[in-house]
């Protein structure tokens, strides 16, 4: 059987733009990164978990006044929900449930300090119940 040309092999593939690196979660092992990459290929988009972790970290380390007056409607682009911290934390919870046990444990060890910081800084009131329920 003749060998196929590389151009024939690549015709049906969709690739990530080569000029752009796929963001990765820091502080986890290579095996966990492999499991996350497989999950992103099959269920999400490349770099989705790292974006969610970074967004959750920005929200948690942001000013405390954002915790009190948080409203999903504050996002300037209509219909955008990816910037919503509740959506990001729900995504991370779904990822933790879908990952293998060891990879989930490592990712949870990265998220635990962020969750604890949020719980320590946020006031328990009816407006923040959605996020607090995800963490507890």
């Amino acid at each position: 059987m003749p060998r196929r040309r590389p151009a024939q092999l690549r015709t049906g593939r969709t690739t990530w733009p080569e000029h752009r690196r796929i963001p990765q979660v820091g502080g986890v092992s290579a095996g966990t990164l492999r499991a996350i990459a497989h999950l992103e290929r099959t269920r999400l988009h490349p770099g989705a978990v790292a974006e969610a972790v970074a967004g959750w970290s920005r929200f948690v380390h942001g000013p405390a006044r954002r915790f009190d007056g948080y409203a999903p409607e504050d996002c300037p682009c209509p219909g955008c929900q990816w910037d919503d911290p509740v959506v990001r934390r729900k995504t991370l919870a779904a990822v933790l449930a879908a990952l293998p046990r060891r990879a989930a444990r490592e990712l949870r060890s990265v998220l635990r300090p962020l969750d604890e910081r949020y719980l320590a800084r946020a006031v328990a009131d009816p407006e923040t119940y959605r996020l607090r329920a995800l963490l507890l």
Side-chain angles (χ1 to χ4, degrees):
M1 179 168 20
R3 181 176 171 263
R4 294 177 69 180
R5 292 188 313 270
Q8 289 176 323
L9 296 173
R10 288 190 293 260
T11 56
R13 277 195 220 160
T14 58
T15 60
W16 187 257
E18 293 179 14
H19 65 279
R20 204 171 141 200
R21 291 191 56 201
I22 298 172
Q24 294 181 345
V25 179
V28 296
S29 68
T32 301
L33 289 176
R34 247 188 328 272
I36 289 172
H38 176 71
L39 183 71
E40 288 174 343
R41 276 194 309 272
T42 57
R43 297 187 188 178
L44 302 168
H45 63 275
V49 176
E51 290 172 9
V53 170
W56 179 241
S57 178
R58 275 193 309 273
F59 178 73
V60 168
H61 288 97
R65 68 179 178 273
R66 287 185 63 201
F67 296 164
D68 298 335
Y70 168 73
E73 306 84 39
D74 290 344
C75 185
C77 53
C80 173
Q81 294 183 348
W82 185 243
D83 282 339
D84 186 2
V86 175
V87 172
R88 288 184 189 252
R89 193 57 183 94
K90 281 183 181 178
T91 301
L92 291 171
V95 166
L96 287 172
L99 283 174
R101 189 179 314 154
R102 183 175 180 166
R105 185 172 49 239
E106 283 190 44
L107 184 60
R108 200 173 291 116
S109 71
V110 170
L111 294 176
R112 186 173 296 120
L114 298 174
D115 295 345
E116 289 173 357
R117 182 174 174 102
Y118 174 77
L119 291 173
R121 293 181 71 199
V123 177
D125 64 355
E127 292 182 10
T128 61
Y129 78 93
R130 292 180 295 169
L131 278 173
R132 294 181 75 79
L134 288 172
L135 306 177
L136 299 175

